[in-house]
Amino acid sequence: MNRAEAEQGYDADVIVVGAGPIGLTTGNALRHHSLSCLLLEERTETKAYSRANNLWARPQELLAGIGLRDALAENSYAIHTINFFNNGTPTTPIPIADVASPYPKVLYSGQDVIERTLTGEFEARGGRLDRGCTVTDVLQDETGVTVVLRRGKDGPEERRRCHYLVAADGAKSTVRPMLDLDFEPEWLPNCMNRQVDAKLSWRRSLEPDQLWFFYYERGFAGILPVWGGYHRLFFLADDAGVPDRDPTLDEMRAVAREVTGDETLTLSDPQWFSHSRFQYGVAPGYARGRVFLAGDAGHLSLPIGGQGMNAGLHDAVEIAWRLAMTLRGEAAPVILDSYDGERGGEHARLSAQQARGFRWTVYRGPVTDTVLGLAAKALPNLGSLLQGTDDMQQMGVEYPKSLLNEDRLSGLASLLRPGPKPGERAPDAEVTHRGETTSLFRFLYNPDGHTTGWALLCFDGRSSDAGAWLLDAVEAVTPWTWVRPRLVLAGPMVDGAGVPVLSDMDGKAHGAYGLEGRPALVLVRPDGHIAFRGDADRADRLVAYCRKTFGAEPVQSMSALAAVQ
């Protein structure tokens, strides 16, 4: 805590409740943006077992943007293929790494490993973690949030003060009901999941670079790697005749042999047994005043496609840059207001998707199984469709109704080559900078070292007349120093702007954005989503957007200034 904060009576700019993967990622993201952060956690130790353990491509991009991805990848297995079987018949394997991302391979590790890695990163970044305390009340006022906590049943009441609070305290969140954001979950009847993490021996590959999923009568099973040479085996099935307790190793071996068709399969050295039933639901809102929900604190997720923790990682990154901009005085209220609709809407969509996939997976009857058996060899993407989505990598996460969206491109050209719209992920593309072939992503995330920087891509559309328009746009956004322009030139060279020039003479970037033959301005948010599109000759529209989104007279708050000193 710096002196300015102490004088104002704040213990931190932001307090995060919960030090699981999502709370720790939120804390790391806040420290990445140079905000002071205090994490409060009821547990005295990290999770002892692997639990959530996979990282898809899009969350890896977001983690890379806050400097966490590589540290997590060091203790992860990289997966390139998913194998699906329907009643013993193989479907076409899914090359899961075949996505347009710098991080196409799925990372598999373990929640215990992830938490230890994130804790080390958080402490190295100067974050503070306070374990062994339970939040008993949250009190908001016009200038901040007071968190009331207690240690043990009989410990004295303590108070902590912050500007904003993020609740990342899991599915049994204590904060969510305090905000009147609780919800009644929907149960999925007559099914149970049994699971074990153990050493595996079988006739298939033991290389930790692929996954196996099996649809069998009345159930669905998976075998996937867990860090340290272990594998997780789960069997999600009709609960008829299944004891309502954790399974034994012999029981898991018997069902695994039957489902996989491998009579040689053996299991040893088990680390963790569990059994569970399923419920799902989403909070009616993800924000109340100065308090925000993230991860499982805002939703109960079904175990379809390993989406739950990954969705929470989006939350962590999304709320952190908004809070940073707000505390730095870089944001109009719409920046922070947009979090609720974006993330709440995405969780509602994901929950419905998972419910569809779960019902397909578990409640299949003989007629459906017959159809699937006939379709197994005809539909190459059958496995992904059965999961309820063909976008398990979360590359398609978008915010079509975001308060931050503004699209000023129109006309026939936009219909013929629509390109990604505001709210959608800004695609990567190969460009050339100072004679070096490089990636457009390099110039989108943390542009010029600004952690809350917005990248302004100025496309010339291969037009010889566009140079003056692009220079006008660069000049127009100078009051907002966190807006960092880049010239993307497929036509003549443009000098004099003093900003990075990205050559795109082969049209790869223009093509990715649907802008071949159309000079345009594309403003990209700190999370890599497009916010604004407009014609290059109308910089006035871009200026109006900046005034609405950032404010007319940029100023920095005292807490933000103190945090970076």
Side-chain angles (χ1 to χ4, degrees):
M1 181 169 59
N2 58 54
R3 179 176 299 179
E5 289 168 339
E7 290 175 352
Q8 295 174 6
Y10 293 96
D11 295 283
D13 284 322
V14 183
I15 290 177
V16 178
V17 181
I22 306 310
L24 286 164
T25 300
T26 305
N28 273 290
L30 292 165
R31 291 302 302 141
H32 171 75
H33 297 303
S34 298
L35 295 185
S36 60
C37 177
L38 171 63
L39 261 63
L40 304 177
E41 170 57 51
E42 188 172 18
R43 291 179 290 125
T44 58
E45 302 290 341
T46 60
K47 289 282 187 183
Y49 307 110
S50 57
R51 299 181 186 270
N53 67 337
N54 67 308
L55 298 173
W56 295 111
R58 179 57 179 150
Q60 287 185 61
E61 292 178 357
L62 296 172
L63 291 170
I66 58 173
L68 289 181
R69 187 263 172 194
D70 290 349
L72 292 168
E74 288 180 3
N75 294 316
S76 301
Y77 299 123
I79 308 298
H80 56 73
T81 301
I82 300 181
N83 305 287
F84 280 93
F85 292 79
N86 182 57
N87 291 332
T89 301
T91 72
T92 304
I94 297 177
I96 195 67
D98 186 20
V99 294
S101 170
Y103 312 106
K105 293 184 178 180
V106 187
L107 298 182
Y108 265 77
S109 182
Q111 184 169 334
D112 50 345
V113 178
I114 292 171
E115 284 193 15
R116 285 195 297 269
T117 302
L118 292 175
T119 298
E121 288 289 324
F122 182 64
E123 292 174 345
R125 295 180 180 195
R128 290 170 291 138
L129 174 56
D130 189 355
R131 291 188 177 274
C133 53
T134 301
V135 173
T136 60
D137 204 357
V138 171
L139 308 171
Q140 299 191 58
D141 55 53
E142 293 183 356
T143 60
V145 183
T146 298
V147 182
V148 184
L149 56 93
R150 191 182 303 276
R151 300 176 195 279
K153 293 182 180 180
D154 302 320
E157 182 178 278
E158 301 178 30
R159 293 180 176 238
R160 302 289 183 270
R161 180 78 172 162
C162 59
H163 294 282
Y164 295 97
L165 177 73
V166 178
D169 51 342
K172 298 179 180 179
S173 172
T174 59
V175 176
R176 183 177 67 228
M178 299 175 189
L179 306 174
D180 195 26
L181 290 176
D182 218 355
F183 58 93
E184 189 66 32
E186 182 173 345
W187 284 89
L188 292 171
N190 307 319
C191 61
M192 182 191 298
N193 184 52
R194 293 183 292 168
Q195 186 165 290
V196 63
D197 288 359
K199 292 289 181 69
L200 170 70
S201 174
W202 65 340
R203 291 166 59 189
R204 293 181 172 92
S205 174
L206 288 174
E207 290 296 316
D209 58 1
Q210 51 191 314
L211 313 176
W212 285 266
F213 294 110
F214 302 85
Y215 292 92
Y216 61 99
E217 185 178 357
R218 299 193 308 163
F220 170 64
I223 298 180
L224 42 104
V226 176
W227 187 249
Y230 287 80
H231 279 79
R232 171 171 300 169
L233 288 77
F234 70 83
F235 300 88
L236 196 162
D238 189 306
D239 64 358
V242 179
D244 195 3
R245 56 164 171 77
D246 286 351
T248 67
L249 193 63
D250 287 343
E251 288 171 342
M252 295 299 280
R253 180 177 62 242
V255 69
R257 287 181 174 181
E258 179 182 356
V259 169
T260 66
D262 184 353
E263 77 286 357
T264 72
L265 185 149
T266 60
L267 298 171
S268 61
D269 192 20
Q271 284 188 317
W272 179 41
F273 291 101
S274 71
H275 77 291
S276 56
R277 299 181 183 275
F278 302 105
Q279 55 183 330
Y280 68 98
V282 180
Y286 267 64
R288 281 291 184 272
R290 291 175 171 266
V291 183
F292 304 87
L293 302 182
D296 288 352
H299 74 275
L300 292 175
S301 181
L302 292 171
I304 287 291
Q307 303 291 301
M309 181 180 71
N310 284 267
L313 295 173
H314 286 258
D315 298 342
V317 172
E318 294 292 352
I319 191 57
W321 69 261
R322 286 172 164 86
L323 290 173
M325 290 195 71
T326 300
L327 286 167
R328 290 177 178 176
E330 298 173 349
V334 68
I335 293 278
L336 206 50
D337 292 345
S338 64
Y339 175 79
D340 189 359
E342 285 189 10
R343 294 308 302 156
E346 171 58 20
H347 280 292
R349 182 203 65 79
L350 178 61
S351 183
Q353 170 189 292
Q354 287 184 307
R356 287 195 304 271
F358 198 98
R359 290 189 172 93
W360 264 98
T361 296
V362 180
Y363 300 125
R364 304 187 327 272
V367 173
T368 302
D369 268 353
T370 299
V371 172
L372 292 177
L374 294 173
K377 294 183 179 180
L379 297 176
N381 63 340
L382 174 65
S384 61
L385 293 175
L386 283 169
Q387 291 293 292
T389 176
D390 56 2
D391 180 37
M392 288 187 289
Q393 293 270 43
Q394 297 193 348
M395 298 291 287
V397 171
E398 60 184 53
Y399 309 114
K401 298 181 180 180
S402 173
L403 297 175
L404 299 179
N405 292 352
E406 185 171 324
D407 195 355
R408 304 304 294 267
L409 285 183
S410 59
L412 182 60
S414 294
L415 294 175
L416 296 176
R417 291 188 297 274
K421 297 179 175 60
E424 297 180 23
R425 166 185 173 271
D428 197 8
E430 181 183 292
V431 291
T432 302
H433 180 245
R434 296 177 177 174
E436 173 189 354
T437 300
T438 186
S439 164
L440 190 61
F441 267 22
R442 176 184 164 191
F443 297 89
L444 293 185
Y445 295 87
N446 302 310
D448 304 331
H450 287 61
T451 68
T452 54
W454 293 49
L456 176 61
L457 302 179
C458 304
F459 291 89
D460 68 353
R462 212 177 291 276
S463 168
S464 58
D465 299 325
W469 301 334
L470 302 188
L471 293 179
D472 286 345
V474 170
E475 177 66 22
V477 297
T478 53
W480 300 279
T481 57
W482 52 92
V483 177
R484 312 302 293 177
R486 285 88 175 78
L487 303 183
V488 186
L489 306 179
M493 190 66 179
V494 176
D495 294 320
V499 301
V501 176
L502 310 178
S503 292
D504 186 38
M505 298 191 72
D506 294 333
K508 295 179 180 178
H510 278 73
Y513 285 76
L515 295 174
E516 186 65 52
R518 179 145 196 194
L521 307 173
V522 178
L523 186 60
V524 181
R525 305 169 359 174
D527 59 359
H529 285 266
I530 295 172
F532 170 91
R533 297 193 311 174
D535 292 306
D537 62 346
R538 293 298 305 270
D540 59 313
R541 291 174 173 172
L542 173 63
V543 169
Y545 177 86
C546 290
R547 287 174 175 162
K548 176 185 70 175
T549 307
F550 307 131
E553 297 179 2
V555 296
Q556 285 191 315
S557 69
M558 291 301 296
S559 65
L561 286 171
V564 299
Q565 287 177 351

